[in-house]
Amino acid sequence: MPTRSRLRKPPPAGYLWSSGAADYLGVHVVTLYHWRRDEIGPRSSVVGRRRWAYKIADLDAYLAGRHSASLDTRGAG
């Protein structure tokens, strides 16, 4: 009998599921849920009925944008 982990499909190529995206960004998966609800944070796509996928390039762009924004605010003073 297949185990539960064997039933899970991998995300599409170049994407991460919500849990992987949360790890990649260093936030909790619930934070991603709140960001989706509030329409902030990195772009996401729904796959199937309830699976959310995040394009790795979009996660990198989001991190780069946050990093540059934090550098801009440090220089103000």
Side-chain angles (χ1 to χ4, degrees), residues 60-77:
D60 289 335
Y62 178 75
L63 288 172
R66 285 186 62 188
H67 179 69
S68 65
S70 68
L71 292 176
D72 290 343
T73 57
R74 271 194 249 160

Side-chain angles (χ1 to χ4, degrees), residues 5 11 16-17 25 29 35-36 40 42 44 50-52 57-58 60 62 68:
S5 63
L16 295 172
W17 294 131
L25 295 173
V29 70
W35 288 351
R36 281 195 312 266
I40 59 175
S44 59
R50 300 188 307 167
R51 298 292 308 257
W52 290 89
D58 290 340
D60 289 335
Y62 178 75
S68 65

Side-chain angles (χ1 to χ4, degrees), residues 20-45:
D23 290 341
Y24 192 84
L25 295 173
V27 299
H28 195 276
V29 70
V30 175
T31 300
L32 288 180
Y33 164 76
H34 290 291
W35 288 351
R36 281 195 312 266
R37 179 195 65 195
D38 298 338
E39 298 179 359
I40 59 175
R43 287 188 289 176
S44 59
S45 304

